[in-house]
Amino acid sequence: MTVTRPPTSRLAGILPDAERVVAEHLLVQIEELKAERNAVVLAHNYMTPDIFHGAADFTGDSLALAYQAARTDAEVIVMGGVHFMAETAKIVSPEKTVLIPDTEAGCSLAESITGADVRLLKERYPGVPVVTYVNTSAEVKAESDICCTSSNARQVVESLREDRVIFLPDRYLGQWVASQTDKDLILWEGSCEVHERFTGAELRDYRTGRPGLQIIAHPECPSDVLKEADYVGSTAGMIDWVEANKPASVVLVTECSMSDNVAVEHPEVEFVRPCNLCPHMQRISLRGILESLRTMRHAVTVDAAVADGARASVEQMLAVGRRPVPA
Ligand code: 13P
Ligand code: SF4
């Protein structure tokens, strides 16, 4: 999604007045520096509303953000998201400077596996293709045959000739795909520390006393959670689902900043908000973005050969499925 409103009107009605005044003061400085540096700010759907609705030029999932930024003539990209997302933006736009405001903004899923792990798996299962979720480092993508997102994982797996597939690194997304295909999936023990905290029992409790509550869940959640869901999809898929269905009440079973962001666009929908925050996403702040633009820190680098390998895996996926942003 592209954001066009001026900085001083973007947060009206979204933040309490006292917080809004502080945020707007920062936003004015961010806009000045964006113009000076020829920069764009990207915000993943899990950024807090001050960043998502205030600072961002583009919002969305990691792949859509990377491709949106690539299409601009900006020389600098500031990633409102975690490290693997900044790497993806750099892989897609190697000529641009990609900054991440906090180098500690990691990801439990991306960190569960290394390039060396993938090489060992390929030795152990020769000839078995490797499908890798985009929530991984560039090094892991480079060792893979093809990437997938949480929306196209099944389609990517089914596009392969082989009956056996190595699927990395999220075991829950892997189990979800395995339940929908006849392919034999070899899984890895990775997981997202945010989504794995949800339980099916917790969701059944939410339904109690709320007839008609719609439960929509991210496929990084455990199987008992997905069994309770009325819809399962990526962050972008969940946003589209709310827009298309406009439910009277809904619970988005994912990082909770996303409900805050989507609720702004849908005042008619009641959002039940269990709050599991991602500690890595939360490291990114408006002040951090401002500081990043001011000091031009921290530039993300990806070795050229690794970037080529990772880009090949991403492009292989794009050849199978829908492009992340319309042409
Ligand atoms: P998507 O936005 O691709 O669905 O990924 C969710 C997530 O956990 C990102 O960190
Ligand atoms: Fe990683 Fe999960 Fe946080 Fe996304 S929400 S960055 S997958 S730990």
Side-chain angles (χ1 to χ4, degrees), residues 44 46 81-85 105-111 133 135 170 191-196 218 220 235 254-255 276-282:
H44 184 265
Y46 295 162
V82 296
H83 193 262
F84 76 80
M85 299 182 173
C107 167
S108 66
L109 192 49
E111 281 152 29
Y133 186 30
N135 292 22
D170 188 316
S191 60
C192 161
E193 65 186 273
V194 178
H195 291 95
E196 74 178 349
H218 197 282
E220 289 170 18
T235 56
T254 190
E255 214 273 357
N276 285 352
L277 281 167
C278 172
H280 311 289
M281 292 281 181
Q282 293 295 312

Side-chain angles (χ1 to χ4, degrees), residues 137-255:
S137 67
E139 197 198 4
V140 166
K141 289 185 179 76
E143 290 293 341
S144 309
D145 294 291
I146 184 165
C147 283
C148 73
T149 66
S150 45
S151 338
N152 65 18
R154 175 180 158 206
Q155 194 190 358
V156 167
V157 164
E158 296 202 328
S159 74
L160 300 168
R161 274 195 318 274
E162 294 81 355
D163 292 331
R164 239 183 151 198
V165 172
I166 298 171
F167 186 92
L168 307 173
D170 188 316
R171 65 170 183 270
Y172 297 121
L173 176 61
Q175 285 164 8
W176 171 246
V177 175
S179 73
Q180 299 177 333
T181 174
D182 292 335
K183 304 265 184 191
D184 176 15
L185 264 52
I186 299 162
L187 302 182
W188 186 252
E189 285 294 296
S191 60
C192 161
E193 65 186 273
V194 178
H195 291 95
E196 74 178 349
R197 291 210 297 270
F198 292 104
T199 65
E202 173 190 355
L203 298 186
R204 285 190 291 280
D205 283 349
Y206 287 122
R207 285 206 200 271
T208 311
R210 290 192 183 91
L213 175 73
Q214 297 294 298
I215 294 183
I216 66 176
H218 197 282
E220 289 170 18
C221 294
S223 321
D224 65 326
V225 170
L226 301 183
K227 272 200 205 98
E228 292 297 325
D230 299 295
Y231 168 80
V232 175
S234 65
T235 56
M238 291 164 108
I239 293 170
D240 290 349
W241 190 94
V242 172
E243 256 155 35
N245 293 281
K246 303 215 182 328
S249 62
V250 68
V251 52
L252 308 189
V253 188
T254 190
E255 214 273 357

